[in-house]
């Protein structure tokens, strides 16, 4: 008798589990077909600023290498985005920004130039001030390492 009850319980449990799994997978397949291929940008009421990356890693660069990089962003809002200022955390980090309003849905760039004549590891920030809804200032980060110039190994002191 115990075996029959146990067998019946297992049979019921097995059927309900497979039914629940079938029910979960069926709508997922249907919604995957209906979903658009591109990822939607979250919309903001007012001006918005959504960056592709908020940190740029320069990696390891030689002394006096090109220190120019770009932070790409989109205005994900419903109103024009106006950037009023962009400042580096020190004189070695010089940002540039668009002076004209950025239309809703438009992409734009915050440029940054790091002075690669300074040897060693660095982590610097750029603070962007705008009319973006909920984030009037945004802090972006750059980091990396600048290598010193190589000294010639064969150079013998003249004397």
């Amino acid at each position: 008798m115990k075996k029959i009850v146990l067998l019946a319980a297992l049979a019921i449990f097995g059927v309900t589990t497979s039914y629940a799994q079938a029910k979960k997978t069926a709508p997922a397949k249907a919604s995957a077909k209906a979903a658009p291929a591109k990822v939607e940008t979250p919309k903001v009421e007012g001006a918005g600023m959504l960056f592709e990356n908020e940190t740029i890693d320069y990696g390891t660069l030689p002394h006096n290498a090109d220190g120019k990089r770009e932070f790409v962003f989109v205005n994900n809002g419903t109103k024009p985005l106006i950037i009023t200022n962009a400042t580096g955390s020190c004189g070695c980090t010089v940002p540039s920004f668009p002076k004209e309003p950025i239309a809703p849905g438009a992409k734009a760039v915050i440029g940054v130039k790091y002075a690669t004549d300074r040897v060693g590891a660095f982590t610097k920030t750029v603070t962007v001030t705008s009319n973006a809804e909920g984030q009037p200032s945004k802090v972006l980060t750059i980091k990396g390492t600048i290598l010193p110039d190589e000294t010639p190994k064969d150079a013998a002191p003249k004397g």
Side-chain angles (χ1 to χ4, degrees), residues 15-55:
V15 170
T16 58
T17 303
S18 63
Y19 176 74
Q21 287 176 349
K23 193 173 181 181
K24 285 181 186 176
T25 56
K29 289 178 184 176
S31 65
K33 291 178 184 176
K38 72 174 198 170
V39 176
E40 293 286 326
T41 304
K43 291 290 183 188
V44 174
E45 194 63 39
M49 190 166 37
L50 182 64
F51 284 88
E52 287 180 1
N53 292 307
E54 295 181 13
T55 299

Side-chain angles (χ1 to χ4, degrees), residues 93-118:
T93 306
V94 181
S96 60
F97 61 95
K99 308 296 188 246
E100 66 282 345
I102 297 113
K107 281 190 175 186
V109 170
I110 302 287
V112 63
K113 182 172 190 218
Y114 179 73
T116 58
D117 59 339
R118 300 166 182 240

Side-chain angles (χ1 to χ4, degrees), residues 4 55 57 134:
I4 293 174
T55 299
D57 188 347

